[in-house]
């Protein structure tokens, strides 16, 4: 028995399989969602092959001090992004055709998964850090270009306004960097893996 925080059954590793998903459309949607979520939460999910799996076990201690807020059935995603975990073991499994009942995979579930990803980006400090940093960089470039262009809406006599805007931009950068991109370690350690 290995000392791990989470055991994840995965379709996307050697020995696993997903060939019997209900048609090529469902397979493509499954793969697309898998890669969207992995790219969105790059730091947390980089080495995980199936972050949207519904078949997993976890050590109770990793969720004890965290409030989970999943939307829909993607509870594992909430655990992976919000909780502090260190080691995951992936176990391959084959996705087989359903014997009875009906699938929950509908357009509504896809929309709920997207809402869940958005919620995690907003609520979890440090989640999606790369994309938040890129958005902040683009905001800075846009403001600087707008203020420094020769055709700026602010004439030279209003240099004080430009300085004030740069000061506000600097303050905004400081706040966003410290709260959403590189939150303090105490907050960060409570919300996502190191």
């Amino acid at each position: 028995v290995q000392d791990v925080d989470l055991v994840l059954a995965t379709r996307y590793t050697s020995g696993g399989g997903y060939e019997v998903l209900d048609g090529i459309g469902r397979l493509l949607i499954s793969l697309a969602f898998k890669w969207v979520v992995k790219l969105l939460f790059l730091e947390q999910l980089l080495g995980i092959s199936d972050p949207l799996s519904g078949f997993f076990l976890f050590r109770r201690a990793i969720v004890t001090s965290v409030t989970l807020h999943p939307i829909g059935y993607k509870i594992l995603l909430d655990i992976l992004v919000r909780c502090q975990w260190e080691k995951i073991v992936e176990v391959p499994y084959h996705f087989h055709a359903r014997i009875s009942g009906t699938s929950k995979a509908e357009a509504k579930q896809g929309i709920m998964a997207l809402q869940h990803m958005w919620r995690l980006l907003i609520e979890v400090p440090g989640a999606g850090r790369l994309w938040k940093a890129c958005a902040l960089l683009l905001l800075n470039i846009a403001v600087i270009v707008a203020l420094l262009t020769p055709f700026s809406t602010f004439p030279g006599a209003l240099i004080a306004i430009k300085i004030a805007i740069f000061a506000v931009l600097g303050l905004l950068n400081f706040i966003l960097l410290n709260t959403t991109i590189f939150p303090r370690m105490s907050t960060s350690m409570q919300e996502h893996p190191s």
Side-chain angles (χ1 to χ4, degrees):
V1 176
Q2 297 178 344
D3 185 22
V4 298
D5 295 310
L6 202 144
V7 178
L8 167 62
T10 176
R11 302 162 282 182
Y12 303 107
T13 193
S14 177
Y18 51 83
E19 296 84 9
V20 296
L21 278 173
D22 191 19
I24 190 72
R26 173 122 182 257
L27 173 62
L28 292 175
I29 290 170
S30 176
L31 290 171
F33 268 93
K34 170 192 147 179
W35 284 106
V36 165
V37 78
K38 281 177 66 87
L39 289 172
L40 198 56
F41 303 106
L42 201 55
E43 289 182 46
Q44 292 94 343
L45 305 180
L46 184 62
I48 298 172
S49 66
D50 199 355
L52 298 175
S53 176
F55 191 11
F56 59 93
L57 299 168
F58 59 91
R59 189 180 305 277
R60 185 182 305 204
I62 68 170
V63 298
T64 301
S65 62
V66 178
T67 302
L68 300 175
H69 296 284
I71 298 175
Y73 298 104
K74 301 306 176 189
I75 298 166
L76 175 62
L77 179 60
D78 221 50
I79 293 170
L80 290 172
V81 175
R82 289 185 190 273
C83 298
Q84 182 182 357
W85 50 268
E86 293 180 14
K87 188 171 182 185
I88 292 180
V89 170
E90 293 189 333
V91 178
Y93 86 99
H94 278 272
F95 193 83
H96 292 287
R98 184 180 300 275
I99 296 171
S100 64
T102 58
S103 173
K104 297 182 295 265
E106 301 171 347
K108 180 181 176 183
Q109 293 304 319
I111 292 168
M112 290 171 72
L114 292 172
Q115 290 172 329
H116 189 184
M117 293 176 211
W118 179 252
R119 174 185 274 178
L120 288 169
L121 272 176
I122 300 301
E123 290 183 356
V124 180
R129 180 174 291 151
L130 172 67
W131 307 112
K132 290 176 182 177
C134 288
L136 185 59
L137 178 64
L138 289 174
L139 172 67
N140 277 272
I141 291 170
V143 170
I144 290 168
V145 167
L147 292 176
L148 297 181
T149 181
F151 305 106
S152 175
T153 56
F154 300 107
L158 297 177
I159 193 74
I161 293 176
K162 289 183 178 183
I163 292 171
I165 291 173
F166 277 121
V168 169
L169 183 62
L171 180 62
L172 180 65
N173 284 330
F174 178 79
I175 292 169
L176 291 176
L177 283 169
N178 284 295
T179 59
T180 65
I181 299 174
F182 298 104
R184 298 195 191 287
M185 289 303 285
S186 60
T187 304
S188 174
M189 294 301 285
Q190 293 171 7
E191 294 290 340
H192 68 278
S194 53

